[in-house]
């Protein structure tokens, strides 16, 4: 889980970190910065964070860290509502995590309730919101 603490209104929990101050391979840093992500200390670890224009933000983390093997299923992708709720998918490669944050829905169910769920696959997460 990227952050087990709820996010308050206004955005993600934690503190932005200057990208130049984090020690990650340059190619990984460049890929995530180009995709609009910035490093963030969540209080529980580190994650790459990006604000989306729909009242949510997305984060990607490698087992609570900013760096990991891009080809191993150690990445988590999540979408978090500014007013609460989250959807996380675990066990992804970096590319799968980038693909996941592009399509994960807002963490609000059809009935208006907030979702707070961790899924073992993107398919399960998407089927829960179909």
């Amino acid at each position: 889980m990227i952050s087990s603490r709820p996010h308050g209104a206004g955005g993600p929990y934690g503190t932005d970190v200057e990208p130049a101050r984090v020690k990650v391979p340059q190619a990984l840093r460049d890929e995530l910065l180009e995709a609009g992500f910035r490093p963030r200390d969540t209080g529980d670890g580190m994650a790459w964070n990006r604000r989306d224009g729909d009242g949510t933000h997305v984060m990607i983390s490698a087992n609570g860290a900013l760096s990991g093997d891009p080809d191993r299923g150690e990445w988590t992708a999540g979408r978090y509502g500014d007013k609460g709720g989250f959807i996380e998918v675990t066990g992804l490669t970096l590319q799968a995590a980038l693909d996941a944050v592009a399509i994960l829905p807002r963490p609000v169910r059809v009935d208006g309730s907030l979702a707070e769920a961790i899924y073992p696959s993107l398919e399960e997460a998407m089927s829960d919101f179909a």
Side-chain angles (χ1 to χ4, degrees):
M1 183 185 246
I2 294 175
S3 178
S4 60
R5 289 181 259 176
H7 312 290
Y13 190 87
T15 306
D16 287 330
V17 177
E18 178 61 38
R21 295 186 60 207
V22 298
K23 295 180 181 179
V24 300
Q26 189 67 42
L28 178 65
R29 178 194 331 260
D30 290 348
E31 180 176 7
L32 288 159
L33 289 173
E34 285 175 23
F37 288 90
R38 297 292 178 261
R40 187 166 203 64
D41 181 342
T42 66
D44 294 343
M46 300 290 285
W48 292 95
N49 180 73
R50 181 182 75 206
R51 299 275 305 146
D52 282 351
D54 64 352
T56 68
H57 61 277
V58 293
M59 288 199 273
I60 296 174
S61 176
N63 293 323
L66 295 174
S67 184
D69 183 338
D71 299 320
R72 291 189 59 198
E74 62 189 19
W75 294 82
T76 298
R79 181 169 301 275
Y80 308 85
D82 289 350
K83 295 182 180 178
F86 66 88
I87 301 169
E88 291 182 353
V89 180
T90 61
L92 303 170
T93 65
L94 176 58
Q95 186 58 56
L98 288 167
D99 293 344
V101 296
I103 63 171
L104 281 173
R106 293 177 61 235
V108 179
R109 293 186 179 91
V110 174
D111 67 2
S113 65
L114 294 177
E116 293 186 345
I118 302 171
Y119 296 92
S121 73
L122 182 57
E123 292 77 23
E124 285 187 49
M126 297 306 288
S127 69
D128 209 18
F129 288 85

